[in-house]
Amino acid sequence: MNKISIIIPTYNRADSIKDTLVCLQGQKTNPEFNFEVIIVDNNSQDQTKKVIQSYIPLLSRKFKYCFEPKQGREFALNCGIENATGDIIACLDDDCTVDNYYVLNIYEAFRRAGQETGFIGGKILPLWMGEKIPEWLNEFLPGNPERKNNLDGTNEFFCGPLGILDYGDQPFALEPNPNGEYPKLFYGANISFRRSLFERFGYFSSENTLVEDTEICLRLLNSGVKALYDPTIRVYHKIKTDGVTPGYYNRWYFTKGRHRETVQHHDDKFYSDTFDMFKRSLPEQRIKEKLLNRCQALFNFGQIIKEEVKEEQEKPMKILFVLAFN
């Protein structure tokens, strides 16, 4: 392992990408490895290309601009992999920043893990942009000393749609639960792979444009590839506080249900449970309790539409559900 390639797919983020590029300029390294940064313009219509090209001469030869005309994050990532020369491929989003030890921590994490570890994920912490964080969200956020335990999964429920990931301060290997499912996976803004994995198991899938990070994690894990969580690798994700609303969560979980790859059989109990969750959300005044029930109902509705609504009915039904649960 002597080179790390950082891939940043970007689309219409001319303002935000500046911060990402500048924070990568001051990375600490050592003589044992070097790194490159590949920025993939995914057919942006704003000033993204102009901004990137104006920064590259200032930042060093480590930075490279690529253009991917086919729309979709998975296509941009695959373009970056094709143009990368490193034996470690790190994925980073265009609305994120990192500290000066980001690349060094990736290198050290793989060195400690050894060759048997194929990919590693780290923390994604919020970088709030705007006014006060919603009070009902506070108890689930990293850094809050009153943050509740995660036995019921509520931390991930509220943080996942915001791209926040914090599994604690101790490293661990990803392991399946007794049902064979992986309850903890990594998000695309902070995940690094050995390049050899793409050569053996293929690149990011273009079949599902919503959850390409989940898909590749599961594909690799189910193929016997070992993965580690390392909390020393940290990324800071910009989040606009005025966009954190109940309506945002409703739409996010409905869309997630629509794009879920494995859908359970829709028996009478499935419909009954979904309707009960919806009913419980109607009189509920506490926002977090209302969201827990309504978003699960919407997630189920998304699956129902995917499996049982005819193609010509899909658009009006989708609009109806989104409006009904806003």
Side-chain angles (χ1 to χ4, degrees):
M1 178 179 61
N2 55 24
K3 191 171 188 178
I4 297 172
S5 296
I6 302 165
I7 300 174
I8 308 173
T10 186
Y11 174 70
N12 287 350
R13 288 267 176 79
D15 291 333
S16 181
I17 194 69
K18 299 175 185 177
D19 298 332
T20 310
L21 296 178
V22 169
C23 70
L24 288 168
Q25 182 184 19
Q27 290 297 301
K28 306 295 184 184
T29 61
N30 66 38
E32 298 174 4
F33 78 100
N34 58 17
F35 73 96
E36 65 181 0
V37 179
I38 300 172
I39 310 105
V40 184
D41 181 356
N42 196 196
N43 202 20
S44 298
Q45 304 301 306
D46 63 357
Q47 298 297 309
T48 292
K49 179 178 180 179
K50 184 177 179 180
V51 168
I52 294 171
Q53 291 184 331
S54 70
Y55 269 78
I56 286 178
L58 304 175
L59 296 174
S60 79
R61 296 179 180 177
K62 287 183 170 64
F63 290 75
K64 179 180 180 181
Y65 172 86
C66 295
F67 182 79
E68 172 52 60
K70 194 176 292 187
Q71 202 74 57
R73 187 173 184 273
E74 68 280 11
F75 296 113
L77 286 168
N78 290 340
C79 174
I81 296 169
E82 290 284 358
N83 286 275
T85 60
D87 43 8
I88 298 294
I89 306 290
C91 302
L92 182 65
D93 282 358
D94 59 358
D95 57 352
C96 293
T97 63
V98 296
D99 61 32
N100 289 342
Y101 293 91
Y102 165 72
V103 178
L104 182 60
N105 286 336
I106 292 174
Y107 169 79
E108 292 291 348
F110 276 96
R111 185 186 61 78
R112 288 192 300 268
Q115 290 293 325
E116 66 274 12
T117 297
F119 64 105
I120 296 177
K123 290 190 178 189
I124 306 174
L125 301 174
L127 183 60
W128 297 104
M129 315 290 288
E131 301 299 324
K132 187 178 179 182
I133 303 167
E135 188 173 337
W136 51 267
L137 185 62
N138 264 324
E139 67 183 86
F140 307 106
L141 296 176
N144 185 342
E146 298 181 359
R147 192 185 197 208
K148 300 187 183 305
N149 65 47
N150 198 37
L151 296 178
D152 59 358
T154 50
N155 289 348
E156 276 85 356
F157 177 92
F158 285 100
C159 290
L162 302 177
I164 300 171
L165 185 148
D166 184 356
Y167 293 146
D169 295 328
Q170 298 300 318
F172 60 83
L174 298 194
E175 299 287 351
N177 61 24
N179 296 324
E181 300 172 332
Y182 288 86
K184 295 185 185 298
L185 294 172
F186 303 139
Y187 300 164
N190 189 3
I191 183 169
S192 304
F193 305 86
R194 293 192 185 276
R195 185 189 183 90
S196 58
L197 295 181
F198 298 112
E199 297 165 357
R200 291 176 59 198
F201 301 103
Y203 289 13
F204 285 91
S205 171
S206 59
E207 296 296 317
N208 195 324
T209 58
L210 183 71
V211 290
E212 74 283 336
D213 49 358
T214 299
E215 188 281 331
I216 199 167
C217 282
L218 290 175
R219 179 164 25 117
L220 294 174
L221 289 167
N222 290 330
S223 298
V225 177
K226 293 185 178 180
L228 291 177
Y229 166 75
D230 192 309
T232 65
I233 308 171
R234 298 188 176 195
V235 164
Y236 300 89
H237 177 219
K238 296 176 183 175
I239 305 172
K240 295 181 179 179
T241 55
D242 59 3
V244 184
T245 64
Y248 169 78
Y249 278 90
N250 291 336
R251 292 186 292 274
W252 194 91
Y253 274 101
F254 176 78
T255 304
K256 185 178 180 183
R258 281 281 291 108
H259 287 82
R260 185 176 183 183
E261 291 195 5
T262 55
V263 181
Q264 69 185 89
H265 175 63
H266 297 147
D267 56 15
D268 289 343
K269 187 175 186 306
F270 180 86
Y271 287 104
S272 175
D273 290 346
T274 300
F275 185 61
D276 286 344
M277 285 183 287
F278 170 57
K279 285 197 302 182
R280 285 197 297 271
S281 76
L282 290 175
E284 182 60 67
Q285 297 300 309
R286 296 168 297 180
I287 293 179
K288 60 186 179 183
E289 282 77 10
K290 179 185 286 289
L291 282 176
L292 285 167
N293 284 291
R294 185 160 294 190
C295 287
Q296 183 59 63
L298 274 169
F299 179 77
N300 288 357
F301 277 131
Q303 295 183 61
I304 293 168
I305 287 180
K306 176 178 180 178
E307 290 295 298
E308 300 182 14
V309 175
K310 294 181 180 179
E311 186 175 347
E312 63 269 18
Q313 299 174 313
E314 182 173 333
K315 186 173 182 180
M317 288 292 285
K318 180 177 177 181
I319 293 173
L320 173 64
F321 283 131
V322 171
L323 291 177
F325 291 102
N326 248 341

